[in-house]
Amino acid sequence: MTSGASAYSRFVQRIQRRYASQMGLLPEGAPVRAGMEHCLQALLAQGLETGAALRVLRQLVMERLVVLDCDGDPANQAALTVVTRAMTELAELALDVATRTSRAALEELHGLPQCPDNAGAPASDAQLWVVGMGKLGARELNVSSDIDLIYIYDHDGETSGRPDGRGRISNHEFFAHQVKAIYGLIGDTTEHGFVFRVDLALRPNGNSGPAAISLNALEEYFQAQGREWERFAWLKSRVVAPLECIQNGSAQALRGLILPFVFRRYLDYNVFDSLRTLHRQIREHAAKRCAGHPERANDVKISRGGIREIEFTVQLLQVVRGGQFPELRTRPTVDALGRLAHAGLMAQETADALARAYEFLRRVEHRIQYLDDQQTHVLPTRDDDLNWISQTMGYSDCCLFLGELDAHRELVAQEFDKLLGGKPACKGCGKAAGSNGSAPLQLDDLLDNLSAQWPSQFRARVALWRKHPKVMALRDDSRARLTQLVQRTALWLGEGTVTEEAALRVIDWIEPLLRRESYLALLLERPAVHVRLLRLLGAAKWPARYLLQHPGVIDELASDALLHERFDRAAFAKELQLRLASLKRTGEDDEEACLNLLRRAHHAEVFRTLARDVEGVLTVEQVADDLSALAEVILAVTTDWCWQRLKNRHRESPQFAIIAYGKLGGKELGYGSDLDIVFVYEDEHEQAAEVYAAFVRKLINWLTVKTGEGDLFEIDTALRPNGNSGLLVTSFEAYTRYQQQRGSNTAWTWEHQAMTRARFVLGEEPLRERFEQVRESVITAPRDAALLRDEIVSMREKVRAARPIKGDRFDVKHSTGGMVDAEFVVQFLVLSQSAKHPELVQNIGNIALLQCAEAVGLLPQGVGQQAASAYRELRRVQHRARLNEEPTQVDPPELQAERDAIKALWTAVFGSWSSI
C-alpha cells in the first residue's frame, strides 16, 4: 500500500482495498503494453472471464499511474507522456483482445465474413477495423477519458455460415453484432467497473448512423455528406485494433480515404467559419451546464483558455495548410506545435508557451480525475481536494497554483482569439458584419446601392457583378464574404491606403477564381494579406498574372517576416526533403505528387522574391542572385528524386553534372527565364551512355511538364556539343575535346563566348574542379585578337539585324549602346585578355568584369566604371518594364547618359561605330 500523496485519492483507496491481492501482478515501473499483457494473462489464469480480467487490469494500471504521477518531488514524478502512453496502450490492448474474442465467438455462429470473389479468385476474409479518434488516435489518452471509436469493415458480402449450411448473414450484420460484443467486453459497467467508456457519436451520420460502416460507404459519405468539422475529427484518426491488421498493412487502405478528406489540395481558409461555429456551440453548451452551477465554469478543458482551445488552434493550422505542407500532418498536439513553429506558421516562443500550457493543463486534468475516477475536467470545490491538486503539482498553496493556472489559460485564450476569436475587425466593416444588432448587408443590396463616394472606375467594375455569372452562382456565405471584401477595399481607397489601380487589378485577379471560394475566405480572415495583395498589385502588373497562374502562393503574404528575409537554399532543400519524407510515410510519394511538390515550393519561393522585389527590398542583382540560387536547388533536388525513380539506374548516385550557361550561368536569372544547361557524365559503366540518356530525358520531362500545379522551367540545351543535332548528354571527355578544339568536331567562337558565362551548378567536387580547368583553358587559349574582334563584331551585327528597332526608340537591350553591346565587349575582353590578366577568368558577372577590366588597364580611366553603372541601370529599367508588362524601349533623350557610356565602352574596345 502507498503512503505518499496518492493515498489521498479516494479512487486509489478503493482499488487498494478491493484488489490488494492482485496488485503485484502488474510488473513494477511505468505500465507498458508487454507488462499489461503479462498481467492480463495472470488474471485470466486466476479464472476471470476476459471482460472481468480487462476491467481489473484497468484498475491496476490506474492505481500505478496515480502513484507514479503524484508521489514524491515533482521532478521525480512521471512525465505526462508516460501517463498518456500507458492509457493509450491499455486501450489498444483491450480493443485488440475484445476484437479477437468477439470475432471468434461470432465465427462459430455464422462462419467467416467473406469478401466477394474477384474473377474466380478464392474468397478472402473481410476485416473489421477499430478506428481511434481524438486523444486515442493521437496517443494522448487521459486517465478517465472515454474513447471515441468508429468501426469500419473493408468489404461487403456475407458470411460462409456454419458447416451445416446455416447461420449465414451479411457482413454488415456480422460486424454490427461484433460492435455490440466489443462494447460488452470493454464498455459495460460491472462489479469491476468498466475498461473504457465508449462513444460512437463521431461515426458517419452520428448516433443515427450504423454502428459499423463499410469502406465504400465511408468513401461515399466523405464525398457527399462529410462536414467541415468532421475533417478536424478525422485529423487524429488511427486504426488501433486489431493488431494483426495494423502489422500486415491491410488497414493502411483507410488512409487513402482520410487524407484527401481532411487535407485539401489548396490552402483551405473555409474551415475558419466551421471551427468558429463548432467552438461557439461548445461554449454555449458549457454555458448551459454552468447555469445555476458557477463552479462548473472552472473547466480546464472547454472553458476559455482550456485544453480544447490549444487543440483547435493547432488543428486549424494543420487543416488549412496540411494539403500543401505534408510535414504538418501529425496527430500529437505537442509534436504538431513544434512542426508549426518550424514551418514558420507560429512563432517558436508561442509554440513553446502553448506546449507548456498544454502539459500543465493536462496534468491538472489528470489530478482532477484521479480523485474519484470521474470523467470531469472541472476544478473541485472542496478546499482539501484543491489543496491536494496544488501540492501534487509542486505548489505550496492554492493561490500560487491558481495564479499559474490563470496565466496559462490567459495566454491560450489570447492566442486562440488572435487566430479564431471572431471575424476580423476593421473600421467600416461593422455594419456589413451586422453589428449593433443589424442584419449583415447583402451583396445584392450593396450592388444596388453603390456609394457615389467610391472612385468611379472601381464603382463601375463592381457594378458589373450584378450580372456576372460567377458572382450570381456564389453560395450565400461566399456572397457575404465578397460583400465585406468590397466594403473593406472601398474603405482603404477612401483612406488612401491603396490605389484605385490596385483595386481594379484585384478584381481582375479574383473574378476568374470566384469558384475557388477559399480565396475569398483567406482575404477576409487575413486583412494583412488583403492589404499586402493590394499594395503588390498596385505596384506592378506582372504579379497579378503570376498570382492568376499560381493563386495558392497568395498565402505567403501572411508572413510578417516575408520582407525581411532572403532566399535560404539550405533551408529550402531541407524543407523539400521533409515534405517528401512526410509523403513517404503515408504512401503518397508517387511521381505526380513529387512533381507537384516541387512546383508548389518553387512557385511559392518565386513569389516571395517577387514580393520583396516589388516592395523595393531587393536590388535587381539580388533578385537575380536569389532566382538563380533557387533554380540551382530545384535542379539538384529534381536530379536526386528523378534518379531514385529511374528504373535502369546502376548506382546509388549518378556520376553526372549540369553546366549552366546564359542567364543562369551568369547569375542573372529573371522571372520566367528559361535555363540554358548542358548535361555531362563521367561513368565507366558499359551501359552509361544509355542510362544517362534515359535519365536526362526523364529529368527534362520532370522540369518542363505541366501538371495541375504548372511547370518549373523551359529548358534550352542548344549549347551542348553540336547543338540541337548533338546528344542530349555526353561524356565529360567528349565535352572537353569539343570545347578545347581537339579533333575535327570542335566548338565555334560563339560557343566560346557562351563559355565565358558557363558555371558548374551540379555535380561532385572533383568533376567541378576539372570543369573549371577546362573552362579556364578555353578562355585563356591563344587567340588572334583581330580575328576574334572581327568575329564578335560580325556576330553582334547579325544579332542586331535579327532584332530591328522601329523608329528612333532606344531598346535597353538590343539598340546601339544597349546591354547586348556591353555583354559582347565583356566576352571579347575575357577571351582575348584572360591569359595575360587572370582576374578576368572568374565568372563574376558583367558589372564586376567591366570594373576589373578598367582596374587592370584594359579600359581608359572611368570608361569601365561608367559602363558598369550604365549596365546596372539598364538592367533595372528592363526589369521594371517587364514587371509592369511595358515595352523595354524608351524615347530619347531618356537614358541618353547610359547609352553614351556603353557606346564609349564599345569605341574604346572595338573602335568607331561606323565599322559595324
Side-chain angles (χ1 to χ4, degrees):
M1 298 293 179
T2 181
S3 58
S6 60
Y8 178 85
S9 162
R10 295 174 285 275
F11 175 49
V12 167
Q13 294 168 17
R14 292 196 300 270
I15 295 174
Q16 292 178 347
R17 285 195 301 269
R18 177 76 185 272
Y19 301 105
S21 64
Q22 293 160 314
M23 302 289 287
L25 297 179
L26 184 66
E28 292 185 1
V32 295
R33 181 157 181 163
M36 289 186 251
E37 288 176 342
H38 174 80
C39 181
L40 179 63
Q41 293 303 317
L43 292 168
L44 291 170
Q46 290 183 352
L48 291 174
E49 297 286 345
T50 299
L54 287 171
R55 284 162 174 77
V56 174
L57 172 64
R58 189 254 181 184
Q59 308 285 16
L60 301 182
V61 169
M62 287 286 291
E63 188 271 348
R64 178 69 54 80
L65 290 177
V66 181
V67 171
L68 292 174
D69 197 9
C70 297
D71 286 357
D73 185 88
N76 298 317
Q77 293 171 347
L80 174 64
T81 52
V82 170
V83 178
T84 55
R85 184 185 67 181
M87 293 306 301
T88 299
E89 291 185 353
L90 174 62
E92 291 170 345
L93 172 61
L95 286 165
D96 182 53
V97 170
T99 302
R100 288 187 282 109
T101 302
S102 59
R103 181 171 177 123
L106 285 167
E107 285 179 357
E108 289 186 7
L109 295 174
H110 305 290
L112 293 170
Q114 297 177 311
C115 306
D117 59 344
N118 296 311
S124 57
D125 299 343
Q127 298 291 334
L128 179 73
W129 301 327
V130 185
V131 180
M133 310 291 280
K135 288 185 170 62
L136 173 57
R139 296 183 172 91
E140 299 172 328
L141 206 57
N142 64 37
V143 291
S144 291
S145 174
D146 57 3
I147 50 177
D148 295 300
L149 302 179
I150 296 177
Y151 293 97
I152 298 168
Y153 56 95
D154 56 357
H155 290 288
D156 284 307
E158 65 176 20
T159 64
S160 60
R162 297 192 297 269
D164 62 6
R166 298 182 180 181
R168 285 189 178 182
I169 59 175
S170 69
N171 287 355
H172 181 77
E173 293 174 288
F174 181 94
F175 292 123
H177 290 318
Q178 189 178 3
V179 168
K180 291 181 181 179
I182 292 172
Y183 182 81
L185 286 168
I186 65 172
D188 278 341
T189 301
T190 71
E191 60 176 314
H192 297 292
F194 52 83
V195 188
F196 285 98
R197 305 174 186 90
V198 178
D199 190 340
L200 303 184
L202 292 176
R203 68 187 187 272
N205 295 306
N207 291 326
S208 62
I213 184 173
S214 72
L215 198 59
N216 286 339
L218 178 65
E219 181 175 19
E220 291 176 6
Y221 178 83
F222 280 163
Q223 292 176 351
Q225 301 179 55
R227 290 159 290 183
E228 294 289 349
W229 69 262
E230 289 178 287
R231 295 168 58 196
F232 294 94
W234 282 93
L235 172 64
K236 293 191 175 187
S237 65
R238 178 172 61 92
V239 176
V240 295
L243 183 60
E244 180 184 3
C245 291
I246 298 171
Q247 292 177 335
N248 66 26
S250 62
Q252 192 67 24
L254 181 61
R255 198 75 179 144
L257 294 186
I258 295 171
L259 286 174
F261 174 66
V262 175
F263 302 110
R264 302 295 161 83
R265 178 179 171 187
Y266 299 103
L267 292 167
D268 188 7
Y269 278 81
N270 284 318
V271 298
F272 272 74
D273 268 346
S274 301
L275 192 55
R276 195 177 280 127
T277 299
L278 178 60
H279 184 257
R280 185 176 63 250
Q281 291 170 346
I282 292 172
R283 282 270 180 92
E284 289 171 353
H285 175 69
K288 290 178 182 177
R289 288 180 64 248
C290 295
H293 301 276
E295 71 279 1
R296 293 179 181 173
N298 253 330
D299 190 310
V300 297
K301 180 178 180 180
I302 63 175
S303 291
R304 182 176 182 273
I307 295 167
R308 181 62 56 80
E309 291 192 353
I310 301 176
E311 294 171 338
F312 275 6
T313 299
V314 170
Q315 291 170 4
L316 178 62
L317 292 172
Q318 285 182 290
V319 170
V320 168
R321 305 293 191 101
Q324 291 198 339
F325 304 101
E327 66 271 25
L328 300 180
R329 302 174 191 173
T330 186
R331 299 180 185 93
T333 300
V334 174
D335 181 41
L337 281 167
R339 296 191 187 202
L340 290 168
H342 181 77
L345 302 178
M346 179 181 290
Q348 186 65 57
E349 315 85 77
T350 301
D352 293 342
L354 288 176
R356 289 192 296 271
Y358 181 78
E359 180 169 346
F360 184 92
L361 293 170
R362 289 297 307 274
R363 292 182 69 223
V364 173
E365 175 188 46
H366 285 168
R367 280 153 177 74
I368 293 170
Q369 295 171 348
Y370 288 152
L371 287 168
D372 293 294
D373 191 26
Q374 295 297 308
Q375 189 186 7
T376 180
H377 315 277
V378 178
L379 284 177
T381 55
R382 285 175 47 173
D383 289 343
D384 51 350
D385 286 350
L386 196 57
N387 280 329
W388 179 78
I389 291 176
S390 302
Q391 290 166 7
T392 58
M393 288 289 291
Y395 295 90
S396 57
D397 63 62
C398 283
C399 292
L400 292 173
F401 162 68
L402 291 174
E404 184 75 7
L405 175 64
D406 287 344
H408 282 302
R409 289 175 61 179
E410 184 59 31
L411 179 139
V412 171
Q414 287 178 3
E415 290 302 322
F416 180 81
D417 290 341
K418 188 187 303 181
L419 180 69
L420 192 71
K423 289 288 186 183
C426 69
K427 302 177 296 178
C429 290
K431 291 182 180 179
S435 61
N436 303 320
S438 63
L441 185 64
Q442 299 299 311
L443 181 61
D444 290 339
D445 296 333
L446 175 71
L447 296 177
D448 289 338
N449 298 280
L450 296 175
S451 173
Q453 297 179 351
W454 290 2
S456 58
Q457 293 183 66
F458 175 70
R459 187 173 66 250
R461 281 298 303 276
V462 173
L464 295 177
W465 285 353
R466 293 191 188 99
K467 297 182 179 180
H468 195 295
K470 287 185 179 178
V471 173
M472 295 170 69
L474 286 175
R475 297 184 307 174
D476 289 345
D477 55 351
S478 293
R479 291 171 69 84
R481 289 175 180 140
L482 188 59
T483 301
Q484 293 180 64
L485 288 173
V486 169
Q487 291 184 298
R488 184 195 287 164
T489 303
L491 175 69
W492 289 338
L493 282 168
E495 293 175 342
T497 305
V498 299
T499 65
E500 185 176 16
E501 182 67 27
L504 295 174
R505 288 176 183 169
V506 165
I507 292 175
D508 290 336
W509 175 76
I510 201 68
E511 282 181 349
L513 299 172
L514 284 172
R515 289 182 181 175
R516 298 186 189 178
E517 297 173 354
S518 61
Y519 293 113
L520 295 176
L522 164 59
L523 293 177
L524 187 62
E525 295 289 347
R526 292 287 182 263
V529 173
H530 186 190
V531 74
R532 285 172 185 165
L533 175 65
L534 283 160
R535 282 208 309 266
L536 181 70
L537 298 188
K541 291 181 180 178
W542 192 77
R545 187 180 304 279
Y546 192 80
L547 277 169
L548 198 55
Q549 293 172 336
H550 312 296
V553 302
I554 186 181
D555 195 58
E556 299 300 325
L557 293 174
S559 170
D560 292 329
L562 172 68
L563 300 181
H564 310 293
E565 298 174 337
R566 286 285 299 278
F567 174 62
D568 184 334
R569 59 191 303 160
F572 180 80
K574 183 179 179 181
E575 288 295 327
L576 279 175
Q577 298 296 357
L578 284 174
R579 289 175 194 170
L580 179 64
S582 299
L583 291 175
K584 283 183 177 178
R585 283 196 294 271
T586 55
E588 297 176 277
D589 59 327
D590 56 71
E591 195 159 298
E592 183 179 4
C594 291
L595 293 174
N596 286 332
L597 195 161
L598 287 165
R599 282 151 177 75
R600 281 194 296 268
H602 177 257
H603 298 154
E605 196 59 52
V606 168
F607 183 71
R608 292 188 192 108
T609 300
L610 175 62
R612 296 169 192 141
D613 180 11
V614 170
E615 290 282 355
V617 176
L618 302 180
T619 65
V620 176
E621 289 84 357
Q622 289 173 326
V623 170
D625 285 345
D626 287 359
L627 292 177
S628 300
L630 173 61
E632 290 176 44
V633 178
I634 290 290
L635 285 173
V637 174
T638 306
T639 297
D640 177 31
W641 293 4
C642 190
W643 179 261
Q644 298 304 319
R645 286 163 176 76
L646 189 69
K647 293 180 180 178
N648 61 341
R649 65 188 174 99
H650 58 289
R651 59 174 68 251
E652 187 60 29
S653 299
Q655 292 184 334
F656 169 85
I658 297 179
I659 300 165
Y661 289 80
K663 290 187 180 299
L664 179 58
K667 294 187 179 180
E668 294 182 353
L669 214 61
Y671 304 114
S673 294
D674 58 4
L675 304 185
D676 294 297
I677 51 181
V678 169
F679 306 101
V680 296
Y681 68 89
E682 187 173 54
D683 193 326
E684 298 299 326
H685 191 275
E686 59 184 8
Q687 293 182 315
E690 178 183 329
V691 170
Y692 288 105
F695 172 53
V696 168
R697 285 193 296 271
K698 186 179 183 70
L699 178 58
I700 291 176
N701 182 64
W702 271 49
L703 293 167
T704 60
V705 68
K706 287 187 182 295
T707 71
E709 298 289 342
D711 59 4
L712 287 170
F713 300 103
E714 290 294 326
I715 302 297
D716 189 340
T717 60
L719 287 169
R720 67 187 187 271
N722 297 307
N724 290 329
S725 63
L727 299 172
L728 267 180
V729 57
T730 59
S731 68
F732 186 76
E733 180 59 32
Y735 173 83
T736 301
R737 286 197 306 270
Y738 184 82
Q739 295 294 343
Q740 293 181 334
Q741 299 190 324
R742 300 202 305 262
S744 58
N745 184 31
T746 60
W748 296 77
T749 298
W750 65 267
E751 291 176 286
H752 286 173
Q753 287 178 252
M755 181 63 93
T756 64
R757 305 185 77 187
R759 191 162 56 88
F760 191 96
V761 295
L762 184 144
E764 297 296 327
E765 188 59 30
L767 197 54
R768 177 192 298 275
E769 293 174 358
R770 289 180 58 197
F771 164 76
E772 295 297 346
Q773 293 169 2
V774 170
R775 179 180 176 276
E776 183 172 350
S777 71
V778 170
I779 289 174
T780 60
R783 289 181 174 85
D784 183 322
L787 178 60
L788 177 64
R789 171 192 178 283
D790 290 342
E791 288 182 334
I792 288 183
V793 169
S794 176
M795 177 63 68
R796 176 67 186 103
E797 187 174 357
K798 291 178 182 177
V799 172
R800 182 178 289 109
R803 299 273 189 170
I805 309 300
K806 296 180 180 179
D808 295 329
R809 305 204 80 196
F810 172 60
D811 186 293
V812 298
K813 182 174 182 180
H814 295 290
S815 290
T816 299
M819 294 164 60
V820 174
D821 284 340
E823 291 164 1
F824 271 62
V825 169
V826 170
Q827 291 162 14
F828 171 77
L829 291 173
V830 170
L831 291 175
S832 64
Q833 302 296 325
S834 290
K836 297 178 183 177
H837 300 284
E839 299 92 336
L840 299 177
V841 171
Q842 294 300 314
N843 183 0
I844 55 177
N846 291 310
I847 293 173
L849 285 169
L850 284 169
Q851 294 168 334
C852 183
E854 180 179 318
V856 298
L858 295 175
L859 295 173
Q861 186 70 29
V863 169
Q865 288 288 353
Q866 290 170 12
S869 298
Y871 186 81
R872 178 182 286 115
E873 177 62 14
L874 294 180
R875 276 188 66 188
R876 189 194 67 79
V877 171
Q878 179 194 53
H879 186 70
R880 289 294 139 190
R882 288 177 173 172
L883 280 180
N884 273 315
E885 298 183 343
E886 296 171 346
T888 56
Q889 300 172 3
V890 300
D891 293 317
E894 191 175 351
L895 298 176
Q896 190 63 49
E898 287 74 20
R899 189 177 189 181
D900 290 343
I902 301 294
K903 282 184 176 182
L905 171 69
W906 183 280
T907 301
V909 175
F910 292 134
S912 172
W913 286 94
S914 61
S915 63
I916 299 179

